[in-house]
Amino acid sequence: MKPETAAKKLGILLEAAPEDFREGDVTRDELNALLADPPEWLQVLRREGPHPRNVVAAKLGISNSGLARGGITEPLTTAEIKALLVAPPQWLVQERATQAAVRAEKIR
């Protein structure tokens, strides 16, 4: 599979992955090995980032669209995400409320 697809399945930002990962194709067996026993570089990327949009949105508890409405266009690190959660700006408070309302409506 293409490196973009493998990065998406691993939940990492392709641009932050090592060059040898970005340059070559990844077989299903290699992907399974990365998932089963992640190397140090993968553990660090998952732990510290930078994270792709979908991971950032999930960690903030909002939608990808909410990120765009909040003006977040670049990948964020774990430290940046934690800083937003500690002192949430108004747009994040609003987006989290919107997401909670959407989830409540789906349950209903």
Side-chain angles (χ1 to χ4, degrees):
M1 70 186 73
K2 293 180 182 179
E4 296 87 8
T5 305
K8 185 180 262 188
K9 290 180 183 278
L10 292 170
I12 61 170
L13 188 66
L14 179 62
E15 293 78 22
E19 187 174 336
D20 60 332
F21 180 84
R22 289 181 282 153
E23 298 298 320
D25 286 342
V26 179
T27 65
R28 173 94 30 213
D29 290 336
E30 290 171 334
L31 178 65
N32 289 336
L34 289 170
L35 289 168
D37 186 26
E40 182 66 25
W41 65 265
L42 182 55
Q43 292 176 27
V44 169
L45 272 179
R46 286 179 167 170
R47 184 175 53 246
E48 299 173 9
H51 302 289
R53 290 182 60 78
N54 62 328
V55 173
V56 172
K59 286 179 179 269
L60 291 174
I62 62 175
S63 65
N64 284 341
S65 299
L67 279 179
R69 286 189 293 270
I72 304 295
T73 58
E74 298 296 319
L76 298 179
T77 64
T78 301
E80 293 168 327
I81 293 168
K82 285 181 180 178
L84 284 172
L85 290 172
V86 168
Q90 183 57 38
W91 68 264
L92 181 55
V93 172
Q94 180 61 41
E95 289 299 331
R96 290 183 75 158
T98 301
Q99 190 69 16
V102 168
R103 287 185 185 133
E105 184 62 30
K106 279 186 178 180
I107 291 172
R108 206 182 84 163

